[in-house]
Amino acid sequence: ALEYYERDLKGLEKTLGKTHPDTLMTVMNIATVYKDGLKDYGKAEELYRRALEGKVAQLGTGHENTKISATNLAILFAKSGEKLKLRKIIDEYPHILIEYPAFKRHL
């Protein structure tokens, strides 16, 4: 899956640009492979942050797709036990605790 996504990402970056929503969706898919499949949390964080920053720039912080990206980053931090980073993303995006109160147990 990773090879397919990476090839797709190169094509999307070339045709649509690095911050196009479709490109950023592929970035998130690759991040998920690193998080869940390869357990490479550092690489996953780098990619999730890239997707989040791109969505903030394109859509703003209040857009639903931006919130989904922030939630994915919170899931990564909860899974990897990074409480300080989890607290920071929840402070920046309070909807996470409202929509997913189970995150409280990770803080």
Side-chain angles (χ1 to χ4, degrees):
L2 183 59
E3 184 179 305
Y4 168 79
Y5 283 135
E6 287 177 339
R7 186 175 60 243
D8 190 41
L9 178 61
K10 286 181 183 182
L12 290 169
E13 287 175 337
K14 190 174 184 177
T15 58
L16 300 176
K18 292 187 176 201
T19 59
H20 188 278
D22 291 345
T23 304
L24 297 174
M25 180 59 69
T26 300
V27 170
M28 284 194 13
N29 289 338
I30 293 171
T32 300
V33 171
Y34 276 102
K35 175 183 60 101
D36 294 335
L38 300 175
K39 308 291 188 231
D40 185 342
Y41 299 134
K43 185 67 175 177
E45 179 180 351
E46 174 189 323
L47 292 165
Y48 278 133
R49 284 193 183 281
R50 175 182 166 190
L52 178 59
E53 289 167 7
K55 288 183 181 185
V56 167
Q58 293 291 318
L59 306 169
T61 58
H63 193 277
E64 192 60 32
N65 287 341
T66 305
K67 290 179 178 181
I68 290 168
S69 291
T71 301
N72 284 335
L73 200 49
I75 291 167
L76 170 69
F77 295 147
K79 187 172 188 170
S80 62
E82 297 193 61
K83 292 182 180 190
L84 293 176
K85 289 181 179 180
L86 178 58
R87 169 52 60 196
K88 185 174 182 201
I89 197 76
I90 287 173
D91 287 346
E92 292 174 20
Y93 295 90
H95 79 278
I96 294 170
L97 270 186
I98 295 166
E99 294 177 21
Y100 305 98
F103 276 110
K104 287 179 185 176
R105 67 184 170 144
H106 296 282
L107 298 174

mmCIF file of all heavy atoms in Angstrom, residues 64-84:
data_model
loop_
_atom_site.group_PDB
_atom_site.id
_atom_site.type_symbol
_atom_site.label_atom_id
_atom_site.label_comp_id
_atom_site.label_asym_id
_atom_site.label_seq_id
_atom_site.Cartn_x
_atom_site.Cartn_y
_atom_site.Cartn_z
ATOM 1 N N GLU A 64 -14.262 21.277 8.706
ATOM 2 C CA GLU A 64 -14.387 19.887 9.148
ATOM 3 C C GLU A 64 -13.182 19.037 8.744
ATOM 4 O O GLU A 64 -12.711 18.214 9.524
ATOM 5 C CB GLU A 64 -15.684 19.275 8.605
ATOM 6 C CG GLU A 64 -16.043 17.955 9.239
ATOM 7 C CD GLU A 64 -16.256 18.023 10.745
ATOM 8 O OE1 GLU A 64 -16.711 19.057 11.264
ATOM 9 O OE2 GLU A 64 -15.936 17.021 11.416
ATOM 10 N N ASN A 65 -12.668 19.223 7.542
ATOM 11 C CA ASN A 65 -11.509 18.435 7.111
ATOM 12 C C ASN A 65 -10.261 18.770 7.921
ATOM 13 O O ASN A 65 -9.428 17.899 8.177
ATOM 14 C CB ASN A 65 -11.244 18.629 5.618
ATOM 15 C CG ASN A 65 -12.268 17.926 4.757
ATOM 16 O OD1 ASN A 65 -12.969 17.031 5.206
ATOM 17 N ND2 ASN A 65 -12.368 18.346 3.517
ATOM 18 N N THR A 66 -10.133 20.022 8.317
ATOM 19 C CA THR A 66 -9.013 20.414 9.182
ATOM 20 C C THR A 66 -9.158 19.758 10.547
ATOM 21 O O THR A 66 -8.184 19.240 11.114
ATOM 22 C CB THR A 66 -8.951 21.943 9.329
ATOM 23 O OG1 THR A 66 -8.883 22.538 8.031
ATOM 24 C CG2 THR A 66 -7.768 22.382 10.164
ATOM 25 N N LYS A 67 -10.367 19.751 11.074
ATOM 26 C CA LYS A 67 -10.616 19.115 12.366
ATOM 27 C C LYS A 67 -10.308 17.622 12.323
ATOM 28 O O LYS A 67 -9.769 17.066 13.282
ATOM 29 C CB LYS A 67 -12.066 19.340 12.797
ATOM 30 C CG LYS A 67 -12.371 20.767 13.175
ATOM 31 C CD LYS A 67 -13.834 20.887 13.562
ATOM 32 C CE LYS A 67 -14.214 22.272 13.995
ATOM 33 N NZ LYS A 67 -15.641 22.330 14.395
ATOM 34 N N ILE A 68 -10.633 16.971 11.220
ATOM 35 C CA ILE A 68 -10.329 15.542 11.068
ATOM 36 C C ILE A 68 -8.818 15.324 11.103
ATOM 37 O O ILE A 68 -8.327 14.393 11.750
ATOM 38 C CB ILE A 68 -10.958 14.983 9.779
ATOM 39 C CG1 ILE A 68 -12.477 14.933 9.918
ATOM 40 C CG2 ILE A 68 -10.385 13.604 9.430
ATOM 41 C CD1 ILE A 68 -13.218 14.674 8.621
ATOM 42 N N SER A 69 -8.080 16.192 10.430
ATOM 43 C CA SER A 69 -6.617 16.075 10.445
ATOM 44 C C SER A 69 -6.064 16.266 11.849
ATOM 45 O O SER A 69 -5.144 15.551 12.267
ATOM 46 C CB SER A 69 -5.997 17.090 9.487
ATOM 47 O OG SER A 69 -6.280 16.749 8.157
ATOM 48 N N ALA A 70 -6.595 17.220 12.592
ATOM 49 C CA ALA A 70 -6.150 17.442 13.968
ATOM 50 C C ALA A 70 -6.469 16.227 14.839
ATOM 51 O O ALA A 70 -5.654 15.812 15.673
ATOM 52 C CB ALA A 70 -6.810 18.699 14.540
ATOM 53 N N THR A 71 -7.635 15.637 14.624
ATOM 54 C CA THR A 71 -8.024 14.450 15.383
ATOM 55 C C THR A 71 -7.088 13.280 15.070
ATOM 56 O O THR A 71 -6.703 12.533 15.963
ATOM 57 C CB THR A 71 -9.488 14.082 15.096
ATOM 58 O OG1 THR A 71 -10.315 15.197 15.451
ATOM 59 C CG2 THR A 71 -9.918 12.857 15.889
ATOM 60 N N ASN A 72 -6.709 13.123 13.804
ATOM 61 C CA ASN A 72 -5.772 12.057 13.449
ATOM 62 C C ASN A 72 -4.432 12.234 14.168
ATOM 63 O O ASN A 72 -3.831 11.259 14.623
ATOM 64 C CB ASN A 72 -5.548 12.010 11.930
ATOM 65 C CG ASN A 72 -6.709 11.392 11.211
ATOM 66 O OD1 ASN A 72 -7.462 10.600 11.766
ATOM 67 N ND2 ASN A 72 -6.867 11.744 9.955
ATOM 68 N N LEU A 73 -4.000 13.465 14.283
ATOM 69 C CA LEU A 73 -2.757 13.738 15.004
ATOM 70 C C LEU A 73 -2.928 13.403 16.489
ATOM 71 O O LEU A 73 -2.037 12.811 17.106
ATOM 72 C CB LEU A 73 -2.364 15.206 14.806
ATOM 73 C CG LEU A 73 -0.928 15.604 15.042
ATOM 74 C CD1 LEU A 73 0.078 14.711 14.347
ATOM 75 C CD2 LEU A 73 -0.724 17.051 14.612
ATOM 76 N N ALA A 74 -4.072 13.735 17.045
ATOM 77 C CA ALA A 74 -4.345 13.402 18.449
ATOM 78 C C ALA A 74 -4.354 11.889 18.660
ATOM 79 O O ALA A 74 -3.830 11.390 19.661
ATOM 80 C CB ALA A 74 -5.682 14.003 18.881
ATOM 81 N N ILE A 75 -4.924 11.156 17.735
ATOM 82 C CA ILE A 75 -4.932 9.691 17.829
ATOM 83 C C ILE A 75 -3.504 9.159 17.843
ATOM 84 O O ILE A 75 -3.164 8.273 18.633
ATOM 85 C CB ILE A 75 -5.755 9.077 16.668
ATOM 86 C CG1 ILE A 75 -7.237 9.394 16.858
ATOM 87 C CG2 ILE A 75 -5.525 7.569 16.575
ATOM 88 C CD1 ILE A 75 -8.086 9.114 15.623
ATOM 89 N N LEU A 76 -2.667 9.710 16.973
ATOM 90 C CA LEU A 76 -1.262 9.301 16.944
ATOM 91 C C LEU A 76 -0.601 9.547 18.289
ATOM 92 O O LEU A 76 0.091 8.671 18.827
ATOM 93 C CB LEU A 76 -0.514 10.055 15.844
ATOM 94 C CG LEU A 76 1.004 9.896 15.861
ATOM 95 C CD1 LEU A 76 1.398 8.472 15.490
ATOM 96 C CD2 LEU A 76 1.652 10.901 14.944
ATOM 97 N N PHE A 77 -0.793 10.732 18.860
ATOM 98 C CA PHE A 77 -0.161 11.062 20.138
ATOM 99 C C PHE A 77 -0.681 10.175 21.266
ATOM 100 O O PHE A 77 0.085 9.765 22.142
ATOM 101 C CB PHE A 77 -0.352 12.535 20.475
ATOM 102 C CG PHE A 77 0.336 13.467 19.521
ATOM 103 C CD1 PHE A 77 -0.205 14.704 19.230
ATOM 104 C CD2 PHE A 77 1.526 13.108 18.909
ATOM 105 C CE1 PHE A 77 0.429 15.577 18.351
ATOM 106 C CE2 PHE A 77 2.176 13.968 18.035
ATOM 107 C CZ PHE A 77 1.625 15.206 17.749
ATOM 108 N N ALA A 78 -1.969 9.871 21.244
ATOM 109 C CA ALA A 78 -2.523 8.971 22.263
ATOM 110 C C ALA A 78 -1.923 7.576 22.112
ATOM 111 O O ALA A 78 -1.531 6.944 23.102
ATOM 112 C CB ALA A 78 -4.043 8.918 22.148
ATOM 113 N N LYS A 79 -1.821 7.114 20.889
ATOM 114 C CA LYS A 79 -1.296 5.768 20.626
ATOM 115 C C LYS A 79 0.172 5.653 20.995
ATOM 116 O O LYS A 79 0.613 4.618 21.492
ATOM 117 C CB LYS A 79 -1.506 5.423 19.150
ATOM 118 C CG LYS A 79 -1.154 4.010 18.791
ATOM 119 C CD LYS A 79 -1.575 3.680 17.368
ATOM 120 C CE LYS A 79 -1.387 2.204 17.102
ATOM 121 N NZ LYS A 79 -1.974 1.785 15.860
ATOM 122 N N SER A 80 0.931 6.718 20.765
ATOM 123 C CA SER A 80 2.366 6.676 21.032
ATOM 124 C C SER A 80 2.721 7.136 22.451
ATOM 125 O O SER A 80 3.887 7.153 22.820
ATOM 126 C CB SER A 80 3.120 7.522 19.999
ATOM 127 O OG SER A 80 2.737 8.880 20.077
ATOM 128 N N GLY A 81 1.714 7.520 23.227
ATOM 129 C CA GLY A 81 1.938 7.906 24.619
ATOM 130 C C GLY A 81 2.553 9.284 24.806
ATOM 131 O O GLY A 81 3.128 9.568 25.853
ATOM 132 N N GLU A 82 2.411 10.145 23.823
ATOM 133 C CA GLU A 82 3.001 11.486 23.908
ATOM 134 C C GLU A 82 1.970 12.464 24.482
ATOM 135 O O GLU A 82 1.307 13.200 23.756
ATOM 136 C CB GLU A 82 3.490 11.925 22.539
ATOM 137 C CG GLU A 82 4.603 11.023 22.036
ATOM 138 C CD GLU A 82 5.313 11.594 20.848
ATOM 139 O OE1 GLU A 82 5.896 12.683 20.982
ATOM 140 O OE2 GLU A 82 5.284 10.946 19.800
ATOM 141 N N LYS A 83 1.890 12.472 25.804
ATOM 142 C CA LYS A 83 0.858 13.241 26.495
ATOM 143 C C LYS A 83 0.988 14.749 26.296
ATOM 144 O O LYS A 83 -0.017 15.440 26.164
ATOM 145 C CB LYS A 83 0.848 12.902 27.979
ATOM 146 C CG LYS A 83 0.388 11.496 28.257
ATOM 147 C CD LYS A 83 0.352 11.199 29.726
ATOM 148 C CE LYS A 83 -0.123 9.767 29.926
ATOM 149 N NZ LYS A 83 -0.400 9.472 31.319
ATOM 150 N N LEU A 84 2.204 15.264 26.290
ATOM 151 C CA LEU A 84 2.376 16.718 26.133
ATOM 152 C C LEU A 84 1.924 17.172 24.745
ATOM 153 O O LEU A 84 1.251 18.196 24.603
ATOM 154 C CB LEU A 84 3.820 17.124 26.384
ATOM 155 C CG LEU A 84 4.316 16.958 27.817
ATOM 156 C CD1 LEU A 84 5.796 17.300 27.928
ATOM 157 C CD2 LEU A 84 3.502 17.816 28.772
#
